[in-house]
């Protein structure tokens, strides 16, 4: 029974790490889909490219600093 209590902090840390990865994936997917829509439907390819690259870099930096 003592082993179950010792594993709790490791499980909590794994859950928090997994949650951050899922949040990053969702945000990146929304960013890329919105940039594709802006470029294809809105006919603003240059703005979509700049927003996509800048947003991806901003997400990477944000999750590296917060992680």
């Amino acid at each position: 029974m003592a082993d179950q209590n010792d594993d709790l902090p490791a499980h909590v840390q794994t859950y928090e790490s997994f949650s951050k990865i899922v949040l990053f994936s969702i945000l990146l997917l929304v960013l890329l889909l919105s940039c594709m829509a802006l470029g294809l439907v809105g006919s603003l390819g240059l703005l979509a490219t700049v927003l996509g690259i800048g947003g991806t870099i901003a997400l990477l930096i944000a999750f590296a600093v917060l992680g």
Side-chain angles (χ1 to χ4, degrees):
M1 292 301 273
D3 292 337
Q4 291 178 349
N5 292 336
D6 294 337
D7 289 342
L8 183 63
H11 288 296
V12 170
Q13 183 182 8
T14 302
Y15 175 75
E16 289 175 355
S17 299
F18 180 73
S19 295
K20 287 180 184 178
I21 291 172
V22 169
L23 178 63
F24 176 78
S25 300
I26 290 170
L27 290 175
L28 186 62
L29 183 66
V30 168
L31 174 70
L32 292 177
L33 288 175
S34 62
C35 288
M36 288 173 56
L38 188 63
L40 294 173
V41 178
S43 299
L44 297 172
L46 182 62
L47 179 63
T49 303
V50 171
L51 184 65
I53 293 171
T56 303
I57 292 172
L59 275 174
L60 287 171
I61 291 172
F63 276 88
V65 169
L66 296 176

